[in-house]
Amino acid sequence: MTTRGSRSEKVKRIFQQFDTNRDGGLNREEMAALVVAVNPRVKFSDEQISAILDEVFRTYGEFIDGEKGLTFDGLLRTYDDGAGDVDRDFDALGLELKPLDDKHGISQASEEAASSSSVADERVMEPHKKQRTAAWAASPNHGIVFDDTWKLVDDLEILIKRLKAKQLKDGKIKNDNSDVFSDPGWSRELGPSSEISDKRVIWNESGPDYAAFVKELGVLRSRADRARSRAEAFDGQMAIGRVLYEHYLFKEALVSFKRACELTPFDVKPHFRAGNCLYVLGMHSEAKGEFLLALEAAEAGGNQWAYLLPQIHVNLGIALEAEGMVLSACEHYREAAILCPTHFRALKLLGSALFGVGEYKAAVKALEEAIYMKNDYADAHCDLASALHAMGDDENAIKEFQKAIDLKPGHVDALYNLGGLYMDMGRYQRASEMYTRVLGVWPNHWRAQLNKAVSLLGAGETEEAKKALKEALKMTNRVELHDAISHLKQLQKRKLRGNGNGNGEAAFITVEPSKFKIVGEKTTLRTELAIALDIRGFQRITRLNRCEVELIKKEMSEGDVPVSYSGSGIPEKSIRKASLEGILCKLLNFLKPETFVGAVKAINQKILAVLDDSESGRVDLGMFFAVLAPLCGGSPDKRKQIAYESLLWRPVNEGNAQIKKSDAQRYIKLLRAIYIPSHGISEILEIHGETDNSLVSLTEFVTLFDDPEWGFSIMSTLLKLETGDRSRHGRHVCATCRYPIIGSRFKEMKSHFSLCSQCYCEGKVLSSCKQEEYRFKEYANEAEAVKDKCLWFGSKGSSPAAS
């Protein structure tokens, strides 16, 4: 870890290395050499180098010394602002840090120690203050300005030192080692703070020693407020907040930053730092509010805040992600990367966020750029591997996961996800090894324990799988574990072997759809059920059925979306994806942030990818509402009505009481292209008959909607799944997958075996029951099966043969 003294010394060594003419400044040629040398893996064009130098010399104009160029203080400032990583650049240049003696023959390290030997010495030795305090304090633009502020900082450091000594003596201080988790790329202060330890201190706030500290801290704050001017009071509160923050006293730091905001409401720094405190304290919405205020002030303040804008965008993006607003976060990460092209954290965060919303190709590109700038970025390697796996490039995904693990052996995310990849590849033994390593780092990770059991089952180690499941059951009581245990018992009872792979599944064959016949009007066709199950799966991921369709109508009546014009000149109420995410957040306000992210990802991949086929980043909001309506909560008639009203709300139908028939036809084709994958996007371009601009009423629209050939009649099957896909059938298990049957049970009427909905759709039947054709009857619940059985016995009893 870089200490307070060594950080400045490293920058000095870097400066001296490239100040080839020894004039005390880095001119454009020397700065260009520095940029290239510290980014050996990046191939800059002359235009890129010129653009970077223009930005540096413009942003840090106050540190430019005529023809000499950027001064040492200017270079130090660029690192303080997060434009580069001191440790990474120092190592990349192969430099060494040796103690330098000053003109009195005292090394900086020993002088620093001497200066802090007593309170009296701290008060007397004025020249040494800047060495005792963090580098930020001496920074010309966001450090300490007034002499009396230094006294406040000195006294505060003494108070913290006393509190720490007392709590260490009583064993109250705890360390929180978060090294095993993925770094969110959090920009803690005006730049990546090297003064912050990797091991966070957790203070005990309940004891009398902490109460006494807070009381004395209040006295210091009062001293700051009694300063001779508002500017000096602001300086004091900011310095107090900064010192508290660096000692992980976030609640107390927030009080000072908030006071600074009151003193100077339009200054960027207090809002930015208050946002940082709020985020660390888990108050993500409030943090977002402070970052937005900081952004507004920075944009209004012109070039003086240009150096800070990338960091504001990054931290605002992270706060938005914490609320589940990943599409919105992407916009801010992109902006940060544009403002600071070497900001590898912004690129990593952008790639991770794009992966989170299912835009894998763009995610890979951003993550590869981040790794190109910082090859030892373990979290970027991990997320790149996940994106590659999602795209089907498993071999390269394994390599990237392994790089992440080599860089950080206890990386839980990399180990867990690599286990999942091995599971998908059927390499069960390797998967179980990965999950074992996860449990070594995080012993109560119940998902890892469950997946370990499943992988052991796949590897044929049934007894070990049973033990792992029991361990998982000790960690949580979730229904998934009970189903898995029931499944394991079924396999042991039947002792069935799989299709030649020994994985414990029942042997089955897959039959073509034409051989599946149905008995009774209520039995769903196999192909129809497959489509409905896919839509139902999407509905459950997004939780759209829990969103009342009336909320869409309310959003249309209350929302204010300006009319814009598409490339073809057609007026529409289009909206950016990030703004659309905000509307979805209101519609799905009952979801937790992590669940909302999954919903947005599914909607982005299934709906927005089709509606925004030109990749403009904008979506026709009326058409989006119409496409959403059939899957929302409410009666079938109400859903169709809101879909019709959504189309009527579009500017193309404005002023009419009815919609054009061609508009209705296009809508239904979009609906089918989105929800019925087998028809594909090509159907959108097909027009059956001439384009009809006649108007259609709601009744006529419903007729088009329900058309079994060209409409969305699959909705009736979907409604059946909505009401019955959670019903259980006692002890009945699926004959092929051996899992308890949940939802409809499909009974083969000749061989009397039963299938679950999924195996029925896939055409799986027992290989021991080969037939020319299979006749299935669907039972929504066991009451129907019992009733059917009673009727059968009744008919047998009244038959002539029986009598």
Side-chain angles (χ1 to χ4, degrees):
M1 183 187 74
T2 308
T3 63
R4 295 176 179 180
S6 65
R7 176 181 173 82
S8 177
E9 186 57 36
K10 283 186 175 184
V11 178
K12 185 181 288 185
R13 294 297 176 86
I14 293 171
F15 183 87
Q16 291 170 348
Q17 176 88 355
F18 290 91
D19 183 18
T20 52
N21 58 11
R22 297 291 183 265
D23 63 350
L26 299 179
N27 58 33
R28 288 182 72 90
E29 286 185 14
E30 291 166 340
M31 274 298 296
L34 169 57
V35 171
V36 171
V38 298
N39 295 284
R41 295 173 59 83
V42 182
K43 304 299 180 186
F44 292 107
S45 66
D46 292 341
E47 291 80 7
Q48 287 174 316
I49 288 289
S50 180
I52 291 171
L53 296 183
D54 288 344
E55 181 67 24
V56 171
F57 278 68
R58 182 174 63 253
T59 304
Y60 300 97
E62 63 188 288
F63 297 100
I64 303 301
D65 185 5
E67 294 297 319
K68 293 179 182 179
L70 188 71
T71 62
F72 164 71
D73 286 338
L75 183 63
L76 182 61
R77 169 65 172 277
T78 66
Y79 281 111
D80 284 345
D81 292 348
D85 186 321
V86 179
D87 296 323
R88 182 181 71 88
D89 291 356
F90 193 81
D91 292 340
L93 295 170
L95 301 175
E96 293 183 7
L97 192 62
K98 296 176 182 177
L100 288 179
D101 292 345
D102 70 2
K103 60 185 178 180
H104 301 295
I106 303 173
S107 74
Q108 290 182 0
S110 61
E111 182 181 66
E112 190 174 333
S115 70
S116 59
S117 59
S118 69
V119 174
D121 287 341
E122 288 177 6
R123 288 295 189 185
V124 175
M125 300 179 69
E126 295 289 326
H128 302 144
K129 283 178 178 175
K130 291 183 181 181
Q131 292 180 4
R132 286 199 316 275
T133 311
W136 62 266
S139 179
N141 204 31
H142 54 310
I144 291 173
V145 179
F146 295 90
D147 286 339
D148 282 352
T149 302
W150 286 99
K151 296 174 185 176
L152 288 171
V153 168
D154 285 342
D155 289 350
L156 179 55
E157 290 282 4
I158 293 167
L159 289 179
I160 293 172
K161 195 182 294 183
R162 286 177 187 165
L163 176 65
K164 192 169 187 178
K166 287 179 182 177
Q167 294 212 346
L168 282 171
K169 184 180 177 182
D170 298 338
K172 294 177 181 176
I173 287 182
K174 297 177 183 177
N175 286 328
D176 175 25
N177 184 9
S178 57
D179 188 52
V180 299
F181 303 105
S182 290
D183 175 18
W186 176 246
S187 303
R188 297 180 183 87
E189 284 293 342
L190 294 174
S193 176
S194 59
E195 288 88 23
I196 294 182
S197 167
D198 288 336
K199 291 195 175 185
R200 173 178 164 181
V201 175
I202 299 177
W203 299 89
N204 181 356
E205 300 177 4
S206 60
D209 48 357
Y210 191 85
F213 165 76
V214 171
K215 187 175 180 180
E216 290 173 305
L217 177 59
V219 174
L220 286 184
R221 287 203 184 101
S222 298
R223 272 173 53 190
D225 279 340
R226 291 196 302 269
R228 286 163 292 185
S229 66
R230 179 178 287 265
E232 189 172 341
F234 174 82
D235 191 48
Q237 293 292 357
M238 287 297 293
I240 290 171
R242 189 68 183 267
V243 172
L244 291 165
Y245 186 96
E246 294 200 346
H247 287 284
Y248 306 102
L249 292 157
F250 301 117
K251 288 181 182 177
E252 306 309 327
L254 179 61
V255 173
S256 291
F257 291 140
K258 282 287 193 181
R259 177 61 183 143
C261 289
E262 292 171 5
L263 290 166
T264 313
F266 302 108
D267 194 298
V268 174
K269 299 190 298 291
H271 290 296
F272 179 68
R273 292 182 180 138
N276 290 351
C277 287
L278 288 162
Y279 181 88
V280 175
L281 293 169
M283 302 167 73
H284 303 136
S285 180
E286 293 84 350
K288 179 185 71 175
E290 290 295 336
F291 289 135
L292 285 170
L293 289 171
L295 184 61
E296 184 182 347
E299 289 176 340
N303 285 337
Q304 83 175 101
W305 299 113
Y307 71 91
L308 185 54
L309 268 173
Q311 297 301 94
I312 297 173
H313 279 293
V314 164
N315 287 11
L316 177 54
I318 292 170
L320 284 164
E321 273 205 77
E323 288 193 300
M325 306 293 283
V326 182
L327 286 171
S328 302
C330 285
E331 294 208 336
H332 290 284
Y333 297 144
R334 278 196 193 94
E335 192 63 30
I338 290 167
L339 292 169
C340 183
T342 58
H343 202 315
F344 55 83
R345 281 190 180 90
L347 286 165
K348 184 268 173 190
L349 288 163
L350 174 59
S352 302
L354 287 166
F355 171 74
V357 293
E359 297 185 12
Y360 303 129
K361 190 175 179 181
V364 166
K365 184 179 178 183
L367 289 163
E368 284 179 340
E369 285 185 39
I371 290 168
Y372 207 59
M373 292 182 190
K374 184 175 173 59
N375 192 41
D376 61 348
Y377 204 163
D379 298 336
H381 283 290
C382 177
D383 288 355
L384 175 58
S386 295
L388 289 168
H389 176 44
M391 293 176 69
D393 189 357
D394 289 346
E395 290 306 318
N396 282 319
I398 290 172
K399 292 175 186 176
E400 292 298 328
F401 275 133
Q402 200 55 60
K403 285 178 187 176
I405 294 165
D406 290 343
L407 289 165
K408 193 186 284 187
H411 200 302
V412 166
D413 291 339
L415 291 166
Y416 183 83
N417 291 337
L418 181 54
L421 194 160
Y422 281 138
M423 285 262 282
D424 290 345
M425 296 176 73
R427 297 170 65 177
Y428 299 112
Q429 196 61 51
R430 289 288 289 147
S432 69
E433 290 170 13
M434 291 302 111
Y435 293 128
T436 300
R437 289 181 65 178
V438 170
L439 292 164
V441 180
W442 190 350
N444 61 342
H445 196 308
W446 73 265
R447 291 188 186 277
Q449 189 69 54
L450 176 59
N451 285 340
K452 179 183 176 180
V454 175
S455 58
L456 286 168
L457 187 61
E461 299 181 27
T462 310
E463 287 302 315
E464 290 300 315
K466 192 175 179 182
K467 290 178 186 175
L469 272 177
K470 285 181 179 177
E471 287 299 316
L473 200 56
K474 291 177 185 176
M475 298 176 190
T476 183
N477 201 33
R478 295 176 68 96
V479 69
E480 298 101 302
L481 289 172
H482 292 284
D483 283 346
I485 290 170
S486 176
H487 180 219
L488 190 60
K489 286 178 179 177
Q490 285 292 330
L491 291 176
Q492 286 183 315
K493 189 184 292 183
R494 296 285 298 270
K495 295 184 179 179
L496 296 171
R497 294 183 59 81
N499 281 338
N501 60 9
N503 66 1
E505 286 191 356
F508 61 83
I509 56 173
T510 303
V511 177
E512 62 187 58
S514 61
K515 290 190 175 183
F516 270 33
K517 308 296 181 183
I518 60 173
V519 176
E521 294 178 359
K522 292 184 179 180
T523 304
T524 312
L525 286 169
R526 170 178 156 184
T527 50
E528 198 174 284
L529 182 62
I531 295 168
L533 277 176
D534 182 68
I535 299 171
R536 179 61 176 147
F538 171 75
Q539 194 183 40
R540 291 174 81 164
I541 290 169
T542 58
R543 304 332 196 255
L544 282 170
N545 58 308
R546 289 177 58 192
C547 166
E548 283 300 316
V549 74
E550 284 286 354
L551 291 175
I552 291 178
K553 186 175 182 178
K554 183 181 178 185
E555 191 61 40
M556 287 189 291
S557 63
E558 295 179 359
D560 183 19
V561 182
V563 175
S564 59
Y565 290 85
S566 64
S568 59
I570 299 172
E572 58 183 31
K573 292 179 180 177
S574 69
I575 189 170
R576 290 192 60 78
K577 284 185 179 182
S579 301
L580 181 64
E581 185 180 47
I583 292 173
L584 280 172
C585 190
K586 285 191 279 185
L587 294 175
L588 303 172
N589 61 7
F590 49 84
L591 293 182
K592 292 180 180 178
E594 59 271 20
T595 314
F596 180 70
V597 171
V600 170
K601 177 181 178 179
I603 290 168
N604 187 44
Q605 288 181 308
K606 199 171 190 75
I607 299 177
L608 302 188
V610 176
L611 294 184
D612 182 29
D613 55 348
S614 63
E615 298 184 0
S616 65
R618 301 187 72 85
V619 175
D620 180 339
L621 187 57
M623 188 62 79
F624 175 75
F625 283 152
V627 166
L628 224 56
L631 270 65
C632 290
S635 68
D637 291 341
K638 198 66 183 175
R639 299 185 201 186
K640 294 168 193 175
Q641 181 189 331
I642 298 297
Y644 182 81
E645 290 177 7
S646 299
L647 296 173
L648 197 59
W649 182 70
R650 299 170 71 229
V652 72
N653 291 309
E654 196 169 12
N656 296 323
Q658 298 179 335
I659 64 172
K660 293 178 182 177
K661 188 171 184 178
S662 58
D663 204 25
Q665 287 174 330
R666 175 168 170 75
Y667 160 67
I668 290 171
K669 291 182 189 303
L670 272 170
L671 206 59
R672 288 168 65 85
I674 289 167
Y675 295 126
I676 308 177
S678 57
H679 293 272
I681 195 70
S682 60
E683 192 177 279
I684 297 173
L685 306 175
E686 296 177 21
I687 301 294
H688 300 279
E690 295 295 318
T691 302
D692 191 343
N693 286 323
S694 61
L695 300 179
V696 296
S697 64
L698 174 58
T699 305
E700 291 167 324
F701 171 77
V702 170
T703 303
L704 287 171
F705 190 98
D706 291 337
D707 187 285
E709 187 67 26
W710 297 110
F712 197 66
S713 59
I714 195 71
M715 187 171 163
S716 60
T717 308
L718 177 64
L719 291 166
K720 191 159 67 170
L721 289 177
E722 286 178 13
T723 55
D725 66 355
R726 291 187 179 275
S727 60
R728 292 179 175 251
H729 295 261
R731 295 185 177 182
H732 286 285
V733 296
C734 177
T736 57
C737 71
R738 305 306 303 164
Y739 272 99
I741 294 176
I742 303 173
S744 288
R745 175 164 71 95
F746 292 85
K747 182 180 178 182
E748 207 288 314
M749 303 308 288
K750 183 179 179 182
S751 299
H752 303 294
F753 63 83
S754 294
L755 297 179
C756 65
S757 295
Q758 194 63 47
C759 290
Y760 173 74
C761 290
E762 293 171 4
K764 292 178 180 177
V765 297
L766 290 171
S767 56
S768 58
C769 299
K770 289 182 182 178
Q771 297 168 197
E772 282 300 311
E773 66 175 29
Y774 300 83
R775 299 173 69 251
F776 286 96
K777 185 163 186 178
E778 179 179 357
Y779 295 108
N781 51 59
E782 274 312 286
E784 286 186 7
V786 171
K787 183 180 177 182
D788 203 33
K789 199 171 185 179
C790 291
L791 288 172
W792 185 83
F793 278 118
S795 64
K796 284 285 184 182
S798 61
S799 66
S803 59

